[in-house]
Amino acid sequence: EVVRGAVPDWLRGAYLRNGPGLFEAGERRLRHWFDGYALLTRVQLSGGETPPRLTTRFVETDALTAARAGSLGYAEFQTPLSEPGGGVAGALRSLAALAAGDPTDNCCVNLVRHGGDLVAMTETQRSWRAIDPATLKSRGRVPWAAGSRLGVLGTAHPHPDPAGGGGLINVATDINPPFFSSYQVYTVSAQPPWHRQLLASIPCDDRAAPRWLHSFGVTDRSVVVIEQPAAYDVPAMLGVRSASHGTLDWLPERGTRVHVLDRRSGAVEVHVVQPPFFFFHVCNTFEADGAVCVDLCAFDDPEIVSSLSLERLTDDSQARDLPRSRVLRLSLPRRGGGDGGGDADGGAAPELVPLDDVSVSGGFADLPTINPRVAGCADYRFVYGIGAARPTPVSNRLVKTDVAGGGG
């Protein structure tokens, strides 16, 4: 159905998005939707009868330069430097790149405003690039302060620091197997050169196989790091083999471990959630009634990762419907409350409660956003995100969820 009309006169400004736009590097085809080279999109909205104006531009990165020259210069999330069966030489090349700690700078995941800049990023520390919001031209890498380097990887969803001051807070992953891998909670200063200050280092459940972190939760008091049992598989990252989900290995017997860092005391509480869940994105995090609550979009397992491989998306003979997910509230009781089981240290057990209506969402929920003015508030009401009119291999519905209305 084609809807005709005019943009409301009050709707003015620029809408910017980041995502994959090129899936070939010479003769190599990237494996996954998440691996494509970063393409920025800008829609200028001037209100009334003025047509929206569309601008697109690739982010100039080392990874894109190599691809344009005809080679895969860096491993991507689900695309190793060498294909499985690439031989000893290919595996050694991949191992050398991993050991050097110089991963891809293909900043195709997110756009964040910080310190007067617009920053494109992916899940590597070196990927952060300043972008001109008017022209979408790349201004180069952000100015990290000397001596403030942390883990090689980091989430692509940093939060404004609720403690104030205009800085950011994020979580890095220091991959240092077999004994020293950890998650590093850190802040980023508000003004350049940007300084990264370590708040806490949290040991990985398995030091030899860190878990994949895409996002996390934060309140003015707490940082919530959710260690889902989707582990980086080093042989798969080297192209020696394929793990259960590409370069990730699903280990449900480990449960989902949730680390709650108290920024005031530095103490870390650990909760174990069984059965485990898999997630990409957090809707909101707040504290209420003696618990830390994280609203998120959760799946039973990482099958969503496999379903978004380019092979699946472009082959009509393969599975053509999205895995199911829901908006859930994860409640983590503070120590000293309750006497239930299931917690790592014997406290009250965490709870997972559905908040959405599957008759509206189609049993799919992700890419959530809320009004930023109510971030961290227990009485916030609405989550906006994507859903599914099934059967469909990709999301095709916009959904507004009233989290105060109870699950469906």
Coordinates of all heavy atoms in Angstrom, one line a residue, residues 190-256:
A190 N 34.7 13.9 28.5 CA 33.8 14.7 27.7 C 34.5 15.5 26.6 O 33.9 15.8 25.5 CB 33.0 15.6 28.5
Q191 N 35.8 15.8 26.8 CA 36.5 16.7 25.9 C 37.8 16.0 25.3 O 38.4 15.2 26.0 CB 36.9 18.0 26.6 CG 35.7 18.8 27.1 CD 34.8 19.2 26.0 OE1 35.2 19.5 24.8 NE2 33.5 19.3 26.2
P192 N 38.1 16.3 24.1 CA 39.3 15.7 23.5 C 40.6 16.3 24.1 O 40.5 17.4 24.6 CB 39.2 16.0 22.0 CG 38.4 17.2 22.0 CD 37.4 17.1 23.1
P193 N 41.7 15.5 24.2 CA 41.8 14.1 23.8 C 41.0 13.3 24.7 O 41.2 13.4 25.9 CB 43.3 13.8 23.8 CG 43.9 14.8 24.8 CD 43.0 16.0 24.7
W194 N 40.3 12.3 24.2 CA 39.4 11.5 25.0 C 40.2 10.5 25.9 O 40.9 9.7 25.3 CB 38.4 10.8 24.2 CG 37.4 11.8 23.5 CD1 37.3 13.1 23.7 CD2 36.4 11.4 22.5 NE1 36.3 13.6 22.9 CE2 35.8 12.6 22.2 CE3 36.1 10.3 21.9 CZ2 34.8 12.7 21.2 CZ3 35.0 10.3 21.0 CH2 34.4 11.5 20.6
H195 N 40.0 10.6 27.2 CA 40.7 9.7 28.1 C 39.7 8.6 28.6 O 38.6 8.9 28.9 CB 41.2 10.5 29.3 CG 41.9 9.7 30.3 ND1 43.2 9.2 30.1 CD2 41.6 9.2 31.5 CE1 43.6 8.5 31.1 NE2 42.6 8.4 32.0
R196 N 40.2 7.4 28.5 CA 39.5 6.2 29.0 C 40.0 5.9 30.4 O 41.1 5.6 30.6 CB 39.6 5.0 28.1 CG 38.9 5.2 26.8 CD 39.3 4.2 25.7 NE 40.6 4.4 25.2 CZ 41.1 3.9 24.1 NH1 40.3 3.0 23.4 NH2 42.3 4.1 23.6
Q197 N 39.1 6.0 31.4 CA 39.4 5.7 32.8 C 38.7 4.4 33.2 O 37.5 4.2 33.2 CB 39.0 6.8 33.7 CG 39.3 6.5 35.2 CD 39.0 7.7 36.1 OE1 38.5 8.7 35.6 NE2 39.2 7.6 37.4
L198 N 39.5 3.4 33.7 CA 39.0 2.1 34.1 C 38.3 2.3 35.5 O 38.8 2.8 36.4 CB 40.1 1.1 34.3 CG 39.8 -0.3 34.7 CD1 39.0 -1.0 33.6 CD2 41.0 -1.1 35.0
L199 N 37.0 1.8 35.5 CA 36.2 1.7 36.8 C 36.3 0.4 37.4 O 36.4 0.3 38.7 CB 34.8 2.0 36.5 CG 34.4 3.4 35.9 CD1 32.9 3.5 35.8 CD2 34.9 4.5 36.9
A200 N 36.3 -0.7 36.7 CA 36.4 -2.0 37.2 C 36.8 -3.0 36.1 O 36.5 -2.8 35.0 CB 35.1 -2.4 37.9
S201 N 37.5 -4.1 36.6 CA 37.8 -5.2 35.7 C 37.1 -6.4 36.2 O 37.3 -6.8 37.4 CB 39.3 -5.4 35.6 OG 39.7 -6.4 34.7
I202 N 36.3 -7.1 35.4 CA 35.5 -8.2 35.8 C 36.0 -9.5 35.1 O 36.0 -9.5 33.8 CB 34.0 -8.0 35.4 CG1 33.5 -6.7 36.1 CG2 33.2 -9.2 35.8 CD1 32.1 -6.4 35.7
P203 N 36.5 -10.5 35.8 CA 37.0 -11.7 35.1 C 35.9 -12.4 34.3 O 34.8 -12.5 34.8 CB 37.5 -12.5 36.3 CG 37.7 -11.6 37.5 CD 36.6 -10.5 37.3
C204 N 36.3 -12.9 33.2 CA 35.4 -13.7 32.4 C 35.1 -15.0 33.1 O 35.9 -15.5 33.8 CB 36.0 -13.9 31.0 SG 36.3 -12.5 30.0
D205 N 33.9 -15.5 32.8 CA 33.5 -16.8 33.4 C 34.5 -17.9 32.9 O 34.9 -18.7 33.7 CB 32.1 -17.1 33.0 CG 31.6 -18.5 33.4 OD1 32.0 -18.9 34.5 OD2 30.9 -19.2 32.7
D206 N 34.9 -17.8 31.7 CA 35.9 -18.7 31.1 C 37.0 -17.8 30.5 O 36.8 -17.2 29.5 CB 35.3 -19.6 30.1 CG 36.3 -20.6 29.5 OD1 37.5 -20.5 29.7 OD2 35.9 -21.6 28.8
R207 N 38.1 -17.7 31.2 CA 39.2 -16.8 30.7 C 39.7 -17.1 29.3 O 40.2 -16.3 28.7 CB 40.3 -16.8 31.7 CG 40.0 -16.4 33.2 CD 39.7 -14.9 33.2 NE 39.6 -14.4 34.6 CZ 40.5 -13.7 35.2 NH1 41.6 -13.4 34.5 NH2 40.4 -13.3 36.4
A208 N 39.5 -18.4 28.9 CA 40.0 -18.8 27.6 C 39.0 -18.5 26.5 O 39.3 -18.6 25.3 CB 40.3 -20.3 27.6
A209 N 37.7 -18.2 26.9 CA 36.7 -18.0 25.9 C 35.7 -16.9 26.3 O 34.6 -17.2 26.9 CB 35.9 -19.3 25.7
P210 N 36.1 -15.7 26.2 CA 35.3 -14.5 26.6 C 34.0 -14.6 25.8 O 33.9 -15.1 24.7 CB 36.1 -13.3 26.2 CG 37.5 -13.8 26.0 CD 37.4 -15.2 25.6
R211 N 32.9 -14.1 26.4 CA 31.6 -14.0 25.8 C 31.4 -12.8 25.0 O 32.1 -11.8 25.2 CB 30.5 -14.1 26.9 CG 30.6 -15.2 27.9 CD 30.6 -16.6 27.3 NE 30.5 -17.6 28.3 CZ 31.4 -18.5 28.6 NH1 32.5 -18.5 28.0 NH2 31.1 -19.4 29.6
W212 N 30.5 -12.9 24.0 CA 30.3 -11.7 23.1 C 29.4 -10.7 23.8 O 28.3 -11.1 24.3 CB 29.6 -12.2 21.8 CG 29.3 -11.1 20.9 CD1 30.1 -10.1 20.5 CD2 28.1 -10.8 20.2 NE1 29.5 -9.2 19.6 CE2 28.2 -9.7 19.4 CE3 26.8 -11.5 20.3 CZ2 27.2 -9.2 18.7 CZ3 25.8 -11.0 19.5 CH2 26.0 -9.8 18.7
L213 N 29.8 -9.5 23.9 CA 29.0 -8.4 24.5 C 28.7 -7.4 23.4 O 29.6 -6.9 22.8 CB 29.8 -7.7 25.6 CG 30.3 -8.5 26.8 CD1 31.0 -7.6 27.8 CD2 29.1 -9.2 27.5
H214 N 27.4 -7.1 23.3 CA 26.9 -6.1 22.3 C 26.4 -4.9 23.0 O 26.5 -3.8 22.4 CB 25.9 -6.7 21.4 CG 25.5 -5.8 20.3 ND1 26.3 -5.6 19.2 CD2 24.4 -5.1 20.0 CE1 25.7 -4.7 18.3 NE2 24.5 -4.4 18.8
S215 N 25.8 -5.0 24.2 CA 25.3 -3.8 24.9 C 25.3 -4.2 26.4 O 25.6 -5.3 26.8 CB 24.0 -3.4 24.4 OG 23.0 -4.4 24.6
F216 N 24.9 -3.2 27.2 CA 24.9 -3.4 28.6 C 23.9 -2.4 29.2 O 23.4 -1.6 28.5 CB 26.3 -3.2 29.2 CG 26.9 -1.8 29.1 CD1 26.9 -1.0 30.1 CD2 27.4 -1.4 27.8 CE1 27.4 0.3 30.0 CE2 27.9 -0.1 27.7 CZ 27.9 0.8 28.8
G217 N 23.7 -2.5 30.5 CA 22.8 -1.6 31.2 C 23.5 -0.7 32.2 O 24.6 -1.0 32.7
V218 N 23.0 0.5 32.4 CA 23.6 1.4 33.4 C 22.5 2.3 34.1 O 21.5 2.7 33.4 CB 24.6 2.3 32.6 CG1 24.0 3.2 31.6 CG2 25.4 3.2 33.6
T219 N 22.7 2.5 35.4 CA 22.0 3.5 36.1 C 23.0 4.5 36.8 O 24.2 4.3 36.6 CB 21.1 2.8 37.2 OG1 22.0 2.3 38.2 CG2 20.3 1.7 36.6
D220 N 22.5 5.4 37.5 CA 23.4 6.4 38.2 C 24.2 5.7 39.2 O 25.3 6.2 39.6 CB 22.6 7.5 38.8 CG 21.6 7.1 39.8 OD1 21.4 5.9 40.0 OD2 21.0 8.0 40.4
R221 N 23.8 4.5 39.7 CA 24.6 3.8 40.7 C 25.2 2.5 40.2 O 26.3 2.1 40.7 CB 23.6 3.4 41.8 CG 24.2 2.5 42.9 CD 23.2 2.1 44.0 NE 23.8 1.1 44.9 CZ 23.1 0.5 45.9 NH1 21.8 0.8 46.0 NH2 23.7 -0.3 46.7
S222 N 24.7 1.8 39.2 CA 25.1 0.5 38.8 C 25.4 0.4 37.3 O 24.9 1.1 36.5 CB 24.0 -0.5 39.1 OG 23.7 -0.5 40.5
V223 N 26.3 -0.5 37.0 CA 26.6 -0.9 35.6 C 26.3 -2.4 35.6 O 26.8 -3.2 36.4 CB 28.1 -0.7 35.2 CG1 28.3 -1.1 33.8 CG2 28.4 0.8 35.4
V224 N 25.5 -2.9 34.6 CA 25.1 -4.3 34.5 C 25.7 -4.9 33.2 O 25.4 -4.5 32.1 CB 23.5 -4.4 34.4 CG1 23.1 -5.8 34.4 CG2 22.9 -3.6 35.6
V225 N 26.6 -5.8 33.4 CA 27.3 -6.5 32.3 C 26.7 -7.9 32.3 O 26.8 -8.7 33.2 CB 28.8 -6.6 32.6 CG1 29.5 -7.4 31.4 CG2 29.4 -5.2 32.7
I226 N 26.0 -8.2 31.1 CA 25.3 -9.5 31.0 C 26.2 -10.4 30.1 O 26.4 -10.2 28.9 CB 24.0 -9.3 30.3 CG1 23.1 -8.4 31.1 CG2 23.3 -10.6 30.1 CD1 21.8 -8.0 30.5
E227 N 26.7 -11.4 30.8 CA 27.7 -12.4 30.1 C 26.9 -13.6 29.6 O 26.7 -14.6 30.3 CB 28.7 -12.8 31.1 CG 29.9 -13.5 30.6 CD 31.0 -13.9 31.6 OE1 30.6 -13.8 32.8 OE2 32.1 -14.2 31.2
Q228 N 26.3 -13.4 28.4 CA 25.5 -14.5 27.8 C 26.5 -15.6 27.4 O 27.6 -15.4 27.0 CB 24.7 -14.0 26.7 CG 25.5 -13.3 25.6 CD 24.6 -12.5 24.6 OE1 23.4 -12.6 24.6 NE2 25.2 -11.8 23.7
P229 N 26.0 -16.9 27.4 CA 26.9 -18.0 27.0 C 27.1 -18.2 25.5 O 27.0 -19.3 25.0 CB 26.2 -19.2 27.6 CG 24.7 -18.9 27.6 CD 24.7 -17.4 27.8
A230 N 27.4 -17.1 24.8 CA 27.8 -17.1 23.4 C 29.3 -16.7 23.4 O 29.6 -15.5 23.5 CB 27.0 -16.1 22.6
A231 N 30.2 -17.7 23.3 CA 31.6 -17.5 23.4 C 32.3 -17.3 22.1 O 31.9 -17.9 21.1 CB 32.2 -18.6 24.2
Y232 N 33.3 -16.4 22.1 CA 34.2 -16.3 20.9 C 34.9 -17.6 20.8 O 35.5 -18.1 21.7 CB 35.2 -15.2 21.1 CG 34.6 -13.8 21.0 CD1 34.5 -13.0 22.2 CD2 34.3 -13.2 19.8 CE1 34.0 -11.7 22.1 CE2 33.8 -11.9 19.8 CZ 33.7 -11.2 20.9 OH 33.2 -9.9 20.8
D233 N 34.8 -18.2 19.6 CA 35.5 -19.4 19.3 C 36.8 -19.1 18.5 O 36.7 -18.7 17.3 CB 34.6 -20.4 18.5 CG 35.2 -21.8 18.3 OD1 36.2 -21.8 17.6 OD2 34.7 -22.7 18.9
V234 N 38.0 -19.2 19.1 CA 39.2 -18.7 18.5 C 39.5 -19.5 17.2 O 39.8 -18.9 16.1 CB 40.4 -18.8 19.4 CG1 41.7 -18.5 18.7 CG2 40.2 -17.8 20.6
P235 N 39.4 -20.8 17.1 CA 39.6 -21.5 15.9 C 38.7 -21.0 14.8 O 39.1 -20.9 13.6 CB 39.4 -23.0 16.2 CG 39.7 -23.1 17.7 CD 39.2 -21.8 18.3
A236 N 37.4 -20.8 15.1 CA 36.5 -20.2 14.1 C 36.9 -18.8 13.7 O 36.7 -18.5 12.5 CB 35.0 -20.2 14.6
M237 N 37.4 -18.0 14.6 CA 37.8 -16.7 14.2 C 39.0 -16.7 13.3 O 39.3 -15.8 12.5 CB 38.1 -15.9 15.5 CG 36.9 -15.6 16.4 SD 37.4 -15.0 18.0 CE 38.0 -13.3 17.6
L238 N 39.8 -17.8 13.4 CA 41.0 -18.0 12.6 C 40.7 -18.6 11.2 O 41.5 -18.8 10.4 CB 42.0 -18.8 13.3 CG 42.6 -18.3 14.6 CD1 43.6 -19.2 15.2 CD2 43.2 -16.9 14.4
G239 N 39.4 -19.1 11.1 CA 39.0 -19.7 9.8 C 39.4 -21.2 9.8 O 39.3 -21.8 8.7
V240 N 39.7 -21.8 10.9 CA 40.1 -23.2 10.9 C 38.8 -24.1 10.9 O 38.9 -25.2 10.4 CB 41.0 -23.5 12.2 CG1 41.2 -25.0 12.3 CG2 42.2 -22.7 12.1
R241 N 37.7 -23.6 11.6 CA 36.5 -24.3 11.6 C 35.4 -23.4 11.8 O 35.6 -22.2 11.9 CB 36.5 -25.3 12.8 CG 36.5 -24.6 14.1 CD 36.5 -25.6 15.3 NE 36.3 -25.0 16.6 CZ 36.5 -25.6 17.7 NH1 36.8 -26.8 17.8 NH2 36.3 -24.9 18.9
S242 N 34.1 -23.9 11.8 CA 33.0 -23.1 12.1 C 32.4 -23.5 13.4 O 32.4 -24.7 13.7 CB 31.9 -23.3 11.0 OG 32.3 -22.7 9.8
A243 N 32.0 -22.6 14.3 CA 31.5 -22.9 15.6 C 30.0 -23.1 15.4 O 29.4 -23.1 14.3 CB 31.7 -21.7 16.5
S244 N 29.2 -23.2 16.5 CA 27.8 -23.5 16.4 C 27.0 -22.4 15.7 O 26.0 -22.7 15.0 CB 27.2 -23.8 17.8 OG 27.3 -22.6 18.6
H245 N 27.5 -21.2 15.8 CA 26.9 -20.0 15.2 C 27.9 -19.1 14.5 O 28.2 -18.0 15.0 CB 26.0 -19.3 16.1 CG 24.8 -20.0 16.7 ND1 25.0 -21.0 17.7 CD2 23.5 -20.1 16.3 CE1 23.8 -21.5 17.9 NE2 22.9 -21.0 17.1
G246 N 28.6 -19.6 13.5 CA 29.6 -18.9 12.8 C 30.9 -18.8 13.6 O 31.6 -19.9 13.8
T247 N 31.2 -17.7 14.2 CA 32.4 -17.5 15.0 C 32.0 -17.6 16.5 O 32.9 -17.4 17.4 CB 33.2 -16.2 14.7 OG1 32.3 -15.1 14.9 CG2 33.7 -16.2 13.3
L248 N 30.8 -17.8 16.8 CA 30.3 -17.9 18.2 C 29.9 -19.3 18.6 O 29.3 -20.0 17.7 CB 29.1 -17.0 18.5 CG 29.3 -15.5 18.2 CD1 28.0 -14.7 18.4 CD2 30.4 -14.9 19.2
D249 N 30.2 -19.7 19.8 CA 29.9 -21.1 20.3 C 28.8 -20.9 21.4 O 29.1 -20.2 22.4 CB 31.1 -21.8 20.8 CG 31.0 -23.3 20.5 OD1 30.1 -23.7 19.9 OD2 31.9 -24.0 21.0
W250 N 27.7 -21.5 21.2 CA 26.6 -21.4 22.2 C 26.8 -22.5 23.3 O 26.9 -23.7 23.0 CB 25.3 -21.6 21.6 CG 24.1 -21.5 22.4 CD1 23.1 -22.4 22.6 CD2 23.7 -20.3 23.2 NE1 22.1 -21.9 23.5 CE2 22.4 -20.6 23.9 CE3 24.2 -19.0 23.4 CZ2 21.8 -19.7 24.7 CZ3 23.6 -18.2 24.2 CH2 22.4 -18.5 24.9
L251 N 26.9 -22.1 24.6 CA 27.2 -22.9 25.7 C 26.1 -22.8 26.8 O 26.3 -22.2 27.8 CB 28.6 -22.6 26.3 CG 29.8 -22.5 25.3 CD1 31.0 -21.9 26.0 CD2 30.1 -23.9 24.8
P252 N 24.9 -23.3 26.5 CA 23.8 -23.0 27.4 C 23.9 -23.6 28.8 O 23.3 -23.1 29.7 CB 22.6 -23.7 26.6 CG 23.2 -24.7 25.7 CD 24.5 -24.1 25.3
E253 N 24.7 -24.6 28.9 CA 24.9 -25.2 30.2 C 25.6 -24.3 31.2 O 25.5 -24.4 32.4 CB 25.7 -26.5 30.1 CG 27.2 -26.3 29.7 CD 27.4 -26.2 28.2 OE1 26.4 -26.1 27.5 OE2 28.6 -26.0 27.8
R254 N 26.3 -23.2 30.7 CA 26.9 -22.2 31.5 C 26.0 -21.2 32.1 O 26.3 -20.5 33.1 CB 28.0 -21.5 30.8 CG 29.0 -22.4 30.1 CD 29.9 -23.1 31.0 NE 30.8 -22.2 31.8 CZ 31.8 -22.6 32.5 NH1 32.1 -23.9 32.6 NH2 32.5 -21.7 33.2
G255 N 24.8 -21.2 31.6 CA 23.8 -20.1 32.0 C 24.2 -18.7 31.6 O 25.3 -18.5 31.0
T256 N 23.4 -17.8 31.8 CA 23.7 -16.4 31.6 C 24.1 -15.8 32.9 O 23.3 -15.8 33.9 CB 22.4 -15.6 31.0 OG1 22.1 -16.2 29.7 CG2 22.7 -14.2 30.8

